[in-house]
Amino acid sequence: MVEDQQRAKAERIKNEKESRRAREASEKAQREEMARQNKQRAFEEQARMASARGVGSSGAKFDAAAMTAVGGGVTNLSPTSPGFFNPYDFLAGSDSKEPTRKFNPIYRVQPFWSLMNLDRYIRQSPPPKEAMDTPARYEQLAKALSFICHIVQENHKLAPKGREATLGFLRSNQLGCEAGIKLISLLPHSAGASGKTLDGLFLNFINVFVSLVENVQPHQQIVLPGGWQQPDRTHICLYIIRNCGDDRFSFTVCNTGRDGLEYHPCKFDQSSGKQQRQLAMTIWDIPASRIRDSTFWVLLFRMQVYPHKKNNAEFLYTKLLPALNDRPLMSNLELGPSEFHAPPDPIAAATYIDLARLALTSSPVPGARPSKYASLLLLNAALELSYQSIADARPSSLDPEDTRILKLTGRNVANFASTVDPNTVPDGSLGGALSSTWDLLDRLLKKINFASSKPMDQFSHGLPASAMTDSFSKGAVTSLRTDPGSAAYPFFGRLRKDDYDNVVKALMGDPRQDPILIPSVLTDEKLPAVATDYQTASSLLLRVCNACSLLMQQRQLVKNAPAFVASAAQHALTFALPMPDLDKSRCFWRKGEMRRETQVNLLFLIRRMCTIYSAATACVQQSRGLVAIRTTAFACAACIADAISRVTVVDDPSPFSLHYSGDCEGPTQAFGIEAGSFESLAANLPIYDPHYTSLRFQCLDYMRGISVHKNGEDRPTIFNFDLDLKPMKGDIELMNQLSIQLALVRPYPPTEKAMVAHASSLISGVNGAVIEVLPEFEYFRDIIFHFKHSVSGKAATPPSTPENYTWKPSEATLKWTTKPTSSEDTTPLYHVTAFRGHHQEFVDPAAVTKTTSKSAFSNFLSFFGKSSAERTKLSCADPTNIVNTCAEKFQKSKGKPIQVKNEDDILHLTTPELPTFGSILSPSDAERFLQFMTAPYIRIPLILDFFANGDPGRLAALKSKSLQLIVDAAMFEPGMWRRADFTDTVTEIPVIEEDKLQTLLATPMGTLFNEIAKSPDVLTSCVVKILERALDMDVGKYNKKSTSGPLILYAVRLAVRIEGFMKFALNKCGPGKQRPRGLESMDNIKIEACMKKIRKMLDEQAFPTLEYWIDPSRTKNVDISCLVHAHLLYLFKNYTYEEFDFRSVSVLLSSQVYLMINHRFSNQIYDDLADTADPTKPPSSIQLAQTEVFDIIQTQRHKIMRYMREKPSEGDDAMEAVVRVATGTGTRTESFDAKIQKSRHWKSIKH
């Protein structure tokens, strides 16, 4: 009984709660409906009062006709009329509902910004590439149409019961746009189909569309997707089909893009003078039979579905459209109303909002409201939706960016309303529309000011100091009373900084301390320029390593720090450390006694120097010349490390050194290292410094001597990383010997795979048994890897490295491990990483080994078209590379590469396949120039004579970057190397075998040294004549658009480089010196005379010309001054200490300082032949590689310091010249103001 009562009570309570909830929900709905009605009545009352008073608060009156209510219009069939055809229901199905969208708040979406023309204030950037493909364009068009339709739908919902919505006359057009959105989804433009499948989809679409057109009723219109699609681009527009009654149709093309607008009628706006076009161009009086004929629609929509190069505006406007009514296109302008608009800019047009708005508001029928007036009503409706979204906003709740958007929206709507011409509105409803716009803007502005107001704070409340102790600090203002006069300046309180330390400064935090700049000494006066003993070598390496590390750590504080470090490290490896000799008695590193600690320390410092050099050269401007010098520097490091590793020390010989040198007891033999790709690929890289050219061949001679026995048999070699990334025969043998020496466990049974795995783990350090005991082995391994990878054809740093990123030396440290070859083959391979885990790869070994002429072209293809790092291995003087890179045919399109190896191949080239370099060379001259490249042994005099003599147009052609790179390559690429034990001679003429011919024509020291030794007269006369004729063209200033400036600078560079090679050869062949191989027959007297001719021309004509160009009173262009200063610096590249004087020292110092202050070097590749978009332009920037400039600074620094120390008065004058040039207060020789001419004594700061 009790339980039944409790159950009934619980049931009664439950029913009461449910009834209460239902009653509360009903009351809430009634309140919301009443609030909506009150808002609507208030809005109507405001509109009525505005009509009585005039436009807003201005009181501007309109005539009686202008008082006509906004709405109405009889030009379109109403959706509520009997017989109205709903095109959307026809396409989507009668059961489907009209689509709805949500944009809340509406003013935060991109279509709203585009509609209100806010893109220029909020976001003005071209669309990304992924947004430019065909599916993305149609998707963007559908979104634009959806947004426009959404505004009409929401306006219809907000209309009071019994009254037509403001945009009610566009309701029929909106349903036509909904049909257009559906047609976009049905059109097979992006279905991914092809062939018969695409044909079937297209046929189904045409059948459905023709049925749709046949059902369109009189005074109705539908919107269709339009445009055309080509293989590489797509243009989109919209079409409007309208049934005008009496079996007549109209066809309107709505186009807001750039393509096709030339066919639309145009006029000039009388008020602004801007060109306007009829963006919605209508074809009138079209028979119904033609508009319902499927043939026209197949031709029209085929342009969108099937991409073809003939799909263009010309076909649409001149073929298809005139065929609809058999009239010329422009004759339709007189048949019906026309309206002109200013075309949108390309970025705004890409959103398609203007296109969608034009399609919605255009009603091609006489008496219809113009599109511009309908657009004003559309903007009013969108603005009303924005106001409704903030109507209930509380004070200080509106975001600042939203405030900015809404204020700009109101301003643009007001501007747009002011441009509507009353004479164009036939129904006289413009007055009411403008009045409604005015009051809507007034309400919006008041609401924005209310919702975006800021609360009172401690700096703006105006209370006296005594009130600061009250509860205001806790957020409460107890009184609004203030001292007299405090309201005179109501905004002054915002400038106050009360309690600055505890309020403002606490928020700012502690200031960052100023950085401490620690000096870095790259050239030590206390040490000799070249090491004289092991202690000096160690000290010099240690100081340079420490200075370079210090400078790289301060890379943010020191400008061009990586370039200074690269030059210093390079100078240490190639100048400061003597090169080894195969003769032990004459070798600097092997003729004296060395201790174990010295041996290990030297190898450690060389490895450290290689790591620093690798990091620094990755940060500087890349060039083929840098790659050439970089490989040579690493080759020097490898040769020096090899000589040190062969030393049997006097105190505790290293087992690795004993086994490597062959001095260990037992049946052992010496090991060596091979030059590998350094001999082949490095031959194609230009070297502009004779010292590095000589070093390259010294390294090749040394490596040949340590890898081959005197009887010609090959010795076992180690660390052949460029051939295979797993241990080879020599590596396995050396590891086996060290395992026996160190009592390490060896694999059993000793199968080939087991021995490879054992050697791989020991060499890589995965098994640290060898490296832990013999650290010198690790140092030597890393040095050789740096050398091998420098000519690997692969970049050491990841391709995604940001521009101007500076690597630290620690990031260049090599990290070794092993990985299996594949999932099937578990043989371990070396896996070496550096620079944040980037794999240090090598190119295909077939590309770096000696190949036959049959596969030479395939090796060219293995590099051509790859990354810039790999393309550097292609010779710029190779005729195949020149044709495939510089010919007009291959620059305009990527054609199939062709091989050019002899004169017969050149004779078969067509004119577009000849490299005319932008027509600066005639086809006959280009053919002749190309033929010279097929004879590398004699091409130097042929090329120089080609430009020095004959047609002056040839010499003028040397201003172009492409030709300069090719001539430099022909002159300064060292070419193939002839080893010392080569004894073959020419036994047949001609030599048929290509490899044999190349070997016979190889030189011991490079082709340029060979030319200097054998035929210096032609070389000198041509260089002097080129320089002389170039200087004769001087116009008194540098202008990159003229021929004279770039040509003179190139002639100066060429002359200085040739002079440098001659001076080096003369120095090496001086009295009492053993002449290098290749210079045995050189005539010293003749070379000295030739060198003096070149120097006389440089000193007496070139130098005054360049100084005249940079006179501050004549040029104010800093870029040109940097360019000329770089070449003034270059003029004294070859000066020895004995030749130094005030002029040379002052130029070297002032030009260096000017460049460091005013020029910013880039790390982009400098001399990539494939990176020449316009072959007629001169080289960019200062026309010199960054490394050449800093190498001169590094090389001459020691001489300058010595000169200033020994000749202080001349040094003082040179420093004053630096001050004048750097500050612009005078020239190098004198000040502009004689009164401030200073004479001070300068001293070096001791560190």
Side-chain angles (χ1 to χ4, degrees):
M1 186 72 177
V2 175
E3 293 179 355
D4 293 340
Q5 292 178 352
Q6 292 178 346
R7 190 180 301 109
K9 183 178 179 181
E11 187 70 23
R12 186 173 64 257
I13 295 173
K14 180 179 180 182
N15 293 335
E16 289 177 354
K17 289 182 178 180
E18 291 179 353
S19 62
R20 185 169 64 253
R21 291 194 190 98
R23 185 171 62 255
E24 290 175 351
S26 177
E27 292 175 353
K28 181 179 180 181
Q30 291 177 2
R31 288 195 301 271
E32 292 178 350
E33 179 62 23
M34 291 177 63
R36 192 190 68 80
Q37 292 177 1
N38 291 335
K39 281 186 178 181
Q40 187 62 40
R41 282 195 296 271
F43 173 73
E44 293 175 359
E45 181 64 19
Q46 290 176 354
R48 186 186 65 78
M49 294 297 294
S51 300
R53 294 192 308 266
V55 180
S57 58
S58 69
K61 295 288 185 176
F62 293 91
D63 55 17
M67 293 296 104
T68 306
V70 177
V74 294
T75 56
N76 289 334
L77 187 63
S78 173
T80 59
S81 303
F84 177 80
F85 170 66
N86 191 326
Y88 178 78
D89 289 347
F90 178 84
L91 294 174
S94 57
D95 297 334
S96 62
K97 296 181 179 180
E98 185 179 340
T100 59
R101 297 97 177 170
K102 288 185 179 181
F103 297 96
N104 189 26
I106 191 173
Y107 55 80
R108 288 185 180 175
V109 296
Q110 174 67 36
F112 180 86
W113 303 343
S114 300
L115 179 65
M116 296 298 177
N117 200 19
L118 300 182
D119 279 350
R120 66 187 60 185
Y121 305 115
I122 297 174
R123 183 173 59 193
Q124 187 78 359
S125 58
K129 291 184 179 180
E130 57 269 15
M132 300 301 290
D133 58 356
T134 301
R137 288 176 179 268
Y138 278 101
E139 183 182 358
Q140 182 66 28
L141 176 62
K143 290 180 179 179
L145 288 169
S146 299
F147 180 77
I148 296 297
C149 293
H150 169 75
I151 297 176
V152 180
Q153 289 175 327
E154 293 299 312
N155 180 262
H156 181 71
K157 293 178 183 178
L158 292 177
K161 293 182 179 180
R163 289 188 58 183
E164 185 180 7
T166 308
L167 300 180
F169 70 101
L170 294 178
R171 180 69 173 152
S172 174
N173 291 7
Q174 178 245 324
L175 292 175
C177 290
E178 297 283 6
I181 299 173
K182 191 65 180 177
L183 287 173
I184 291 175
S185 64
L186 297 176
L187 187 69
H189 57 79
S190 59
S194 61
K196 294 183 178 180
T197 305
L198 180 61
D199 295 340
L201 293 174
F202 183 58
L203 181 62
N204 293 337
F205 174 81
I206 292 297
N207 293 333
V208 171
F209 179 76
V210 172
S211 301
L212 172 66
V213 174
E214 291 175 349
N215 283 280
V216 176
Q217 301 300 308
H219 306 297
Q220 272 192 259
Q221 64 187 46
I222 57 175
V223 177
L224 324 174
W228 51 88
Q229 186 179 173
Q230 295 178 338
D232 57 344
R233 60 180 303 185
T234 301
H235 181 77
I236 290 181
C237 56
L238 289 174
Y239 306 137
I240 301 176
I241 303 177
R242 184 177 180 87
N243 189 337
C244 302
D246 299 330
D247 284 338
R248 293 290 169 177
F249 280 76
S250 67
F251 185 89
T252 303
V253 180
C254 298
N255 190 355
T256 58
R258 295 298 180 188
D259 291 352
L261 281 185
E262 63 270 18
Y263 297 98
H264 288 235
C266 66
K267 72 172 187 177
F268 286 95
D269 185 10
Q270 295 181 356
S271 59
S272 65
K274 295 182 179 180
Q275 187 186 55
Q276 295 182 331
R277 288 194 178 271
Q278 187 185 5
L279 299 182
M281 184 178 67
T282 303
I283 310 299
W284 302 92
D285 197 26
I286 304 174
S289 58
R290 293 194 180 179
I291 210 71
R292 292 169 180 161
D293 188 356
S294 62
T295 303
F296 171 76
W297 300 112
V298 169
L299 293 174
L300 185 69
F301 285 112
R302 186 186 65 177
M303 298 173 66
Q304 301 181 60
V305 176
Y306 297 94
H308 196 275
K309 62 181 180 179
K310 292 185 178 181
N311 293 341
N312 51 33
E314 181 184 5
F315 181 75
L316 173 66
Y317 286 95
T318 63
K319 300 292 193 305
L320 290 182
L321 297 184
L324 286 174
N325 61 356
D326 295 329
R327 289 175 175 270
L329 200 62
M330 290 302 172
S331 66
N332 291 278
L333 192 62
E334 304 174 355
L335 299 180
S338 59
E339 190 172 358
F340 292 83
H341 307 272
D345 62 83
I347 297 179
T351 63
Y352 299 117
I353 283 293
D354 291 309
L355 182 63
R357 176 175 57 81
L358 189 65
L360 174 72
T361 57
S362 297
S363 298
V365 60
R369 289 176 172 176
S371 173
K372 190 165 187 178
Y373 175 56
S375 297
L376 173 62
L377 301 180
L378 183 70
L379 296 181
N380 284 351
L383 196 61
E384 177 65 31
L385 294 177
S386 302
Y387 175 78
Q388 295 295 333
S389 63
I390 66 169
D392 299 327
R394 294 171 297 181
S396 308
S397 62
L398 198 60
D399 184 84
E401 186 64 20
D402 293 341
T403 302
R404 177 171 173 263
I405 291 174
L406 291 173
K407 285 186 176 182
L408 291 173
T409 297
R411 185 176 71 177
N412 286 0
V413 170
N415 290 340
F416 186 86
S418 66
T419 61
V420 180
D421 186 1
N423 298 324
T424 62
V425 183
D427 57 3
S429 60
L430 178 61
L434 293 178
S435 180
S436 176
T437 303
W438 190 292
D439 287 288
L440 177 59
L441 292 174
D442 186 58
R443 286 187 289 124
L444 179 67
L445 182 59
K446 290 179 180 179
K447 190 62 184 179
I448 291 174
N449 293 335
F450 172 77
S452 63
S453 61
K454 297 299 180 183
M456 188 179 299
D457 57 23
Q458 60 175 332
F459 301 124
S460 59
H461 61 84
L463 293 177
S466 59
M468 292 297 292
T469 58
D470 61 12
S471 58
F472 172 74
S473 58
K474 300 179 181 179
V477 179
T478 58
S479 173
L480 293 179
R481 286 185 172 275
T482 63
D483 295 337
S486 60
Y489 304 98
F491 301 112
F492 182 76
R494 301 183 182 181
L495 302 177
R496 294 173 55 186
K497 299 296 182 183
D498 296 351
D499 201 8
Y500 177 82
D501 289 338
N502 295 329
V503 178
V504 181
K505 198 170 181 179
L507 294 175
M508 293 170 56
D510 295 333
R512 178 181 294 180
Q513 295 181 352
D514 293 335
I516 301 174
L517 183 61
I518 303 176
S520 180
V521 181
L522 297 177
T523 303
D524 198 331
E525 295 182 77
K526 299 179 181 179
L527 292 177
V530 180
T532 55
D533 52 42
Y534 303 145
Q535 182 180 356
T536 305
S538 298
S539 180
L540 192 148
L541 282 173
L542 180 60
R543 294 191 185 192
V544 175
C545 283
N546 291 340
C548 290
S549 297
L550 192 61
L551 199 54
M552 289 294 281
Q553 295 299 334
Q554 301 180 96
R555 59 195 179 279
Q556 302 297 335
L557 304 177
V558 181
K559 191 177 181 182
N560 301 314
F564 281 113
V565 169
S567 296
Q570 176 181 297
H571 188 270
L573 292 174
T574 57
F575 279 86
L577 300 182
M579 279 295 294
D581 195 289
L582 292 172
D583 187 350
K584 184 176 180 180
S585 62
R586 294 187 301 174
C587 180
F588 171 84
W589 304 101
R590 303 175 66 189
K591 64 183 179 182
E593 294 183 351
M594 183 182 295
R595 295 174 58 85
R596 175 75 181 278
E597 60 182 14
T598 303
Q599 182 186 46
V600 174
N601 186 48
L602 283 171
L603 290 173
F604 166 75
L605 290 173
I606 294 175
R607 197 271 297 263
R608 184 183 172 190
M609 186 66 74
C610 289
T611 303
I612 294 173
Y613 185 54
S614 178
T617 50
C619 307
V620 300
Q621 184 185 44
Q622 301 300 302
S623 65
R624 300 180 70 246
L626 171 63
V627 177
I629 296 178
R630 187 172 181 264
T631 58
T632 304
F634 280 127
C636 292
C639 293
I640 295 171
D642 176 90
I644 296 174
S645 299
R646 295 181 184 277
V647 175
T648 303
V649 298
V650 296
D651 53 351
D652 186 15
S654 165
F656 165 66
S657 298
L658 294 174
H659 286 276
Y660 183 69
S661 62
D663 294 336
C664 186
E665 297 180 356
T668 62
Q669 60 175 326
F671 294 84
I673 55 174
E674 290 185 359
S677 53
F678 180 61
E679 178 183 347
S680 53
L681 290 184
N684 298 331
L685 299 170
I687 304 179
Y688 303 115
D689 193 307
H691 177 73
Y692 293 104
T693 303
S694 174
L695 284 178
R696 176 179 184 271
F697 291 101
Q698 289 184 54
C699 292
L700 289 172
D701 285 335
Y702 180 83
M703 292 180 186
R704 171 75 178 178
I706 62 176
S707 60
V708 177
H709 288 286
K710 293 182 179 180
N711 58 5
E713 294 182 0
D714 292 337
R715 286 178 176 170
T717 56
I718 63 174
F719 300 151
N720 296 303
F721 305 116
D722 50 344
L723 298 180
D724 201 344
L725 284 176
K726 62 176 178 287
M728 299 183 71
K729 182 178 179 181
D731 301 308
I732 296 173
E733 185 176 345
L734 177 61
M735 289 300 101
N736 188 45
Q737 293 180 18
L738 287 177
S739 297
I740 297 173
Q741 176 83 20
L742 302 176
L744 303 180
V745 177
R746 292 183 295 159
Y748 185 83
T751 62
E752 180 181 357
K753 187 174 183 179
M755 295 300 290
V756 168
H758 176 66
S760 178
S761 63
L762 291 175
I763 293 175
S764 65
V766 174
N767 181 351
V770 171
I771 292 178
E772 180 182 3
V773 179
L774 305 173
E776 61 273 14
F777 175 80
E778 178 187 10
Y779 305 150
F780 185 61
R781 176 204 65 185
D782 287 354
I783 294 169
I784 301 303
F785 188 90
H786 279 297
F787 160 61
K788 296 283 187 176
H789 193 270
S790 64
V791 284
S792 65
K794 292 288 186 178
T797 56
S800 59
T801 305
E803 185 178 357
N804 296 324
Y805 179 80
T806 304
W807 295 100
K808 298 186 290 293
S810 58
E811 294 175 309
T813 302
L814 301 178
K815 298 177 177 59
W816 291 72
T817 185
T818 57
K819 286 188 175 182
T821 304
S822 63
S823 56
E824 294 81 12
D825 186 2
T826 59
T827 303
L829 295 176
Y830 304 127
H831 185 79
V832 187
T833 59
F835 298 103
R836 295 186 179 178
H838 180 63
H839 184 207
Q840 305 298 291
E841 297 178 295
F842 285 81
V843 297
D844 184 4
V848 300
T849 55
K850 295 181 179 179
T851 55
T852 62
S853 58
K854 183 178 180 180
S855 63
F857 185 59
S858 62
N859 292 330
F860 164 79
L861 295 178
S862 68
F863 290 112
F864 184 74
K866 300 295 181 65
S867 66
S868 58
E870 296 177 69
R871 287 198 306 270
T872 56
K873 306 305 178 292
L874 294 173
S875 171
C876 289
D878 180 12
T880 302
N881 189 22
I882 296 173
V883 170
N884 289 280
T885 304
C886 301
E888 184 179 358
K889 173 182 177 181
F890 300 102
Q891 284 187 330
K892 291 185 177 180
S893 61
K894 293 184 178 179
K896 183 179 179 181
I898 57 178
Q899 183 180 12
V900 180
K901 64 179 181 178
N902 52 42
E903 294 184 5
D904 292 338
D905 295 334
I906 296 174
L907 292 176
H908 287 86
L909 294 177
T910 62
T911 300
E913 293 173 343
L914 285 173
T916 59
F917 307 99
S919 301
I920 57 178
L921 283 182
S922 64
S924 59
D925 282 343
E927 186 177 281
R928 182 181 174 190
F929 177 71
L930 202 60
Q931 288 175 348
F932 296 155
M933 299 299 170
T934 61
Y937 190 78
I938 59 173
R939 67 187 177 192
I940 291 179
L942 293 175
I943 292 173
L944 291 178
D945 181 73
F946 176 78
F947 289 107
N949 302 301
D951 186 3
R954 299 175 187 168
L955 181 62
L958 274 179
K959 73 169 186 177
S960 68
K961 174 183 176 181
S962 299
L963 265 178
Q964 290 182 12
L965 292 179
I966 295 171
V967 173
D968 283 344
M971 297 285 295
F972 301 104
E973 286 182 4
M976 298 304 295
W977 163 68
R978 175 183 291 183
R979 59 182 185 270
D981 56 352
F982 181 79
T983 57
D984 290 353
T985 58
V986 177
T987 57
E988 59 177 349
I989 298 178
V991 180
I992 304 301
E993 188 178 349
E994 184 71 21
D995 287 341
K996 184 177 180 181
L997 177 63
Q998 295 296 330
T999 305
L1000 288 170
L1001 297 180
T1003 59
M1005 282 195 68
T1007 53
L1008 183 56
F1009 274 125
N1010 185 71
E1011 195 67 29
I1012 291 173
K1014 303 292 176 59
S1015 179
D1017 295 326
V1018 177
L1019 177 68
T1020 305
S1021 62
C1022 290
V1023 170
V1024 171
K1025 194 166 186 177
I1026 288 174
L1027 181 59
E1028 184 178 8
R1029 293 178 65 185
L1031 289 170
D1032 288 341
M1033 299 181 185
D1034 179 33
V1035 295
K1037 63 178 181 179
Y1038 178 86
N1039 188 346
K1040 65 180 180 180
K1041 294 183 179 180
S1042 66
T1043 300
S1044 61
L1047 177 59
I1048 290 173
L1049 295 183
Y1050 177 71
V1052 168
R1053 295 198 300 272
L1054 180 64
V1056 171
R1057 288 165 179 169
I1058 297 297
E1059 180 205 27
F1061 274 80
M1062 288 183 174
K1063 181 175 285 190
F1064 182 87
L1066 195 62
N1067 181 49
K1068 289 294 182 181
C1069 299
K1073 294 183 179 180
Q1074 182 181 358
R1075 295 196 170 197
R1077 282 195 316 117
L1079 299 179
E1080 298 89 348
S1081 60
M1082 190 185 78
D1083 188 343
N1084 288 14
I1085 299 176
K1086 183 180 291 186
I1087 294 298
E1088 187 173 4
C1090 293
M1091 190 176 64
K1092 288 181 179 179
K1093 287 182 182 179
I1094 297 176
R1095 176 45 59 180
K1096 181 180 180 181
M1097 181 68 67
L1098 292 172
D1099 287 342
E1100 296 181 359
Q1101 295 190 40
F1103 179 76
T1105 300
L1106 298 187
E1107 278 221 314
Y1108 184 83
W1109 286 358
I1110 59 168
D1111 191 316
S1113 62
R1114 297 184 182 89
T1115 179
K1116 303 297 181 183
N1117 192 314
V1118 176
D1119 292 336
I1120 292 179
S1121 296
C1122 289
L1123 169 64
V1124 180
H1125 271 293
H1127 285 77
L1128 283 172
L1129 185 78
Y1130 205 76
L1131 276 173
F1132 300 97
K1133 171 186 177 182
N1134 305 319
Y1135 263 41
T1136 62
Y1137 175 76
E1138 290 73 19
E1139 296 172 313
F1140 268 13
D1141 54 12
F1142 166 75
R1143 184 187 65 168
S1144 57
V1145 174
S1146 60
V1147 168
L1148 287 169
L1149 289 174
S1150 60
S1151 295
Q1152 173 187 344
V1153 172
Y1154 191 90
L1155 286 171
M1156 296 306 108
I1157 295 175
N1158 297 290
H1159 186 66
R1160 182 175 182 178
F1161 292 92
S1162 170
N1163 62 355
Q1164 295 296 317
I1165 190 165
Y1166 167 73
D1167 52 1
D1168 185 0
L1169 189 60
D1171 187 26
T1172 308
D1174 187 353
T1176 63
K1177 288 187 177 180
S1180 57
S1181 188
I1182 60 172
Q1183 303 182 17
L1184 280 169
Q1186 180 184 13
T1187 50
E1188 282 199 87
V1189 175
F1190 283 87
D1191 287 350
I1192 296 173
I1193 295 172
Q1194 177 66 36
T1195 304
Q1196 301 289 20
R1197 186 186 293 119
H1198 193 276
K1199 305 172 189 175
I1200 293 175
M1201 294 172 65
R1202 178 185 170 188
Y1203 179 86
M1204 298 184 70
R1205 183 177 66 251
E1206 296 181 357
K1207 300 179 180 181
S1209 60
E1210 289 85 348
D1212 294 341
D1213 294 339
M1215 294 303 298
E1216 293 296 340
V1218 172
V1219 175
R1220 290 192 296 270
V1221 171
T1223 58
T1225 57
T1227 63
R1228 183 181 58 84
T1229 56
E1230 61 182 2
S1231 175
F1232 291 148
D1233 189 354
K1235 296 181 180 179
I1236 61 172
Q1237 189 80 24
K1238 296 180 179 179
S1239 178
R1240 295 173 290 192
H1241 178 60
W1242 294 73
K1243 290 186 177 181
S1244 175
I1245 301 176
K1246 303 300 180 181
H1247 300 298

